[in-house]
């Protein structure tokens, strides 16, 4: 068992609730995962931007972009909990190897359709649905796999670094995608995404299973899903967090729809500007992830305050008609959004027992991403009817009210626990 050594004489000891920002990178298996994900995440963001912009070009409709998101995230709502059962029953690394290959093939198909000139909205819709089914299996395994790669004390740090990794790619991927789409077409963005999966597959293959944290496996047989839901029902803190995640995920994370409308209708720009707007939000997202990585503890009050700050920023963004000010607002909104996401993710994982963590995290992602179809359709309809600024303001008000309501519920839960 690895011992923690006391700081040298004269050195300043770290604060009790803080940990070194990049502590998890000292773990070999996690370091391999981090490097592979850094490459693969760039490709993922390139495909997201290319896919959303392609649908907007083909239809000119924010609602059509919303339908694409609904098809991609809808399977999570229907099948997401079963993905958690598989993550608790089988080795997460094997599941991830299979899902990475599946996502690679979807990217290859999109690239082939684009290069041959046979791309259509129906083709994009179909592949978005297929990718959504694969993601349903991928996300619970990916999230619970973090607790296999690093010890519990480093779990909040690793979750936050994962978020920073994803959002650092959000900084470079959209910008590169915008330039590629403008110069060569969307097909090249899809092709590079397909190639990027090789890095993640290589990282997973190079890991040492003997160094994984040991976690019990759920046995075969009926009742595994019911057991996971029963576990959540018995933990009110998880329930309050999931309620807040529902409102933030449903109403706060619809930027692909809103930013396409801002780009084409308000700032009259092209795909390059769309990529820049996404990159500006990514700047704040990376800062938010680095701040979250230093937190060893996540309190309910801090989580709810961050959600309220995110809601306030959405309202402010909806009031900014100037491009420069809007970009600055996107940085702050990205910081608040990713800080909330990283804290909510790590708090649920730490609250859940390792034996049911896959099922609990599948429920987390059903709430966070499975509700995206509902939110994307609402945001798309508001955008087409009253405009993108109205969609931002309505979303911000809902998120802020949800944060206030969950803060009150959290106080009641703690009082009951104290009694």
């Amino acid at each position: 068992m690895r011992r923690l050594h006391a700081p040298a004489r004269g050195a300043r000891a770290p604060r009790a609730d803080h940990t070194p920002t990049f502590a998890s990178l000292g773990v070999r298996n996690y370091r391999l995962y981090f490097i592979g994900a850094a490459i693969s995440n760039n490709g993922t963001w390139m495909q997201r931007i290319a896919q959303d912009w392609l649908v907007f070009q083909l239809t000119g409709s924010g609602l059509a972009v919303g339908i694409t998101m609904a098809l991609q995230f809808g399977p999570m709502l229907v099948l997401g909990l079963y993905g958690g059962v598989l993550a608790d029953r089988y080795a997460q690394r094997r599941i991830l190897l299979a899902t990475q290959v599946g996502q690679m093939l979807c990217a290859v198909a999109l690239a082939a359709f684009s290069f041959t000139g046979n791309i259509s909205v129906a083709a994009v819709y179909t592949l978005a649905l297929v990718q959504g089914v694969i993601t349903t299996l991928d996300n619970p395994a990916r999230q619970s796999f973090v607790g296999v790669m690093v010890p519990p004390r480093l779990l909040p740090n690793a979750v936050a670094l994962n978020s920073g990794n994803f959002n650092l790619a959000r900084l470079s991927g959209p910008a590169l995608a915008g330039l590629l789409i403008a110069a060569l077409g969307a097909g090249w963005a899809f092709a590079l995404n397909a190639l990027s999966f090789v890095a993640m597959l290589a990282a997973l293959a190079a890991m040492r299973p003997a160094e994984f944290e040991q976690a019990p496996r759920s046995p075969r047989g009926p009742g595994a899903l019911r057991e996971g839901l029963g576990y959540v029902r018995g933990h009110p803190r998880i329930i309050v967090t999931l309620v807040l995640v529902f409102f933030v995920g449903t109403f706060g994370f619809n930027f692909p729809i809103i930013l396409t409308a801002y780009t084409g209708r308000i700032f009259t720009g092209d795909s390059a500007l769309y990529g820049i707007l996404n990159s500006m939000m990514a700047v704040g997202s990376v800062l938010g992830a680095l701040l979250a990585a230093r937190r060893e503890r996540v309190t309910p009050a801090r989580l709810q305050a961050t959600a309220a700050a995110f809601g306030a920023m959405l309202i402010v963004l909806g009031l900014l008609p100037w491009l420069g000010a809007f970009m600055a607002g996107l940085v702050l909104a990205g910081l608040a959004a990713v800080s909330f996401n990283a804290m909510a993710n790590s708090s649920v994982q730490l609250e859940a027992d390792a034996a049911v963590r896959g099922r609990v995290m599948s429920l987390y992602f059903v709430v966070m991403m499975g509700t995206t179809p509902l939110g994307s359709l609402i945001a798309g309809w508001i955008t087409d009817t009253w405009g993108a600024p109205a969609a931002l303001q309505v979303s911000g008000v809902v998120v802020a009210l949800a944060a206030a309501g969950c803060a009150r519920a959290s106080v009641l839960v703690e009082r009951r626990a104290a009694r």
Side-chain angles (χ1 to χ4, degrees), residues 304-317:
Q304 291 140 13
T306 304
F310 178 50
M313 276 311 309
L314 292 178
I315 296 171
V316 171
L317 271 176

Side-chain angles (χ1 to χ4, degrees), residues 183-356:
L184 301 173
W188 285 100
F190 300 138
L192 286 179
N193 180 42
L195 186 62
S196 73
F197 284 105
V198 174
M200 194 69 221
L201 289 168
L204 290 168
M207 289 182 180
R208 297 171 182 165
E211 297 177 6
F212 288 155
E213 297 290 317
Q214 296 302 311
R217 290 288 161 208
S218 172
R220 290 176 177 271
L225 181 56
R226 186 168 59 251
E227 180 187 2
L229 294 175
Y231 182 89
V232 172
R233 279 197 302 269
H235 289 73
R237 291 175 183 170
I238 295 180
I239 293 174
V240 173
T241 301
L242 290 179
V243 169
L244 185 55
V245 165
F246 166 81
F247 283 101
V248 174
T250 302
F251 294 93
F253 292 160
N254 294 303
F255 284 96
I257 301 165
I258 294 170
L259 291 185
T260 51
Y262 261 94
T263 301
R265 298 174 186 172
I266 295 179
F267 300 131
T268 60
D270 57 11
S271 61
L273 177 60
Y274 180 56
I276 291 171
L277 291 180
N278 278 277
S279 295
M280 293 306 296
M281 190 169 184
V283 171
S285 299
V286 172
L287 294 175
L290 292 177
L291 288 174
R294 291 181 57 81
R295 295 290 182 186
E296 194 167 321
R297 294 187 304 109
V298 179
T299 64
R302 184 176 290 159
L303 182 67
Q304 291 140 13
T306 304
F310 178 50
M313 276 311 309
L314 292 178
I315 296 171
V316 171
L317 271 176
L319 300 173
L320 296 175
W322 309 284
L323 180 58
F326 189 79
M327 286 182 175
L330 284 176
V331 173
L332 295 177
L335 190 154
V338 170
S339 295
F340 170 82
N341 200 16
M343 286 193 290
N345 187 310
S346 59
S347 67
V348 170
Q349 290 212 50
L350 287 171
E351 192 75 25
D353 187 84
V356 295

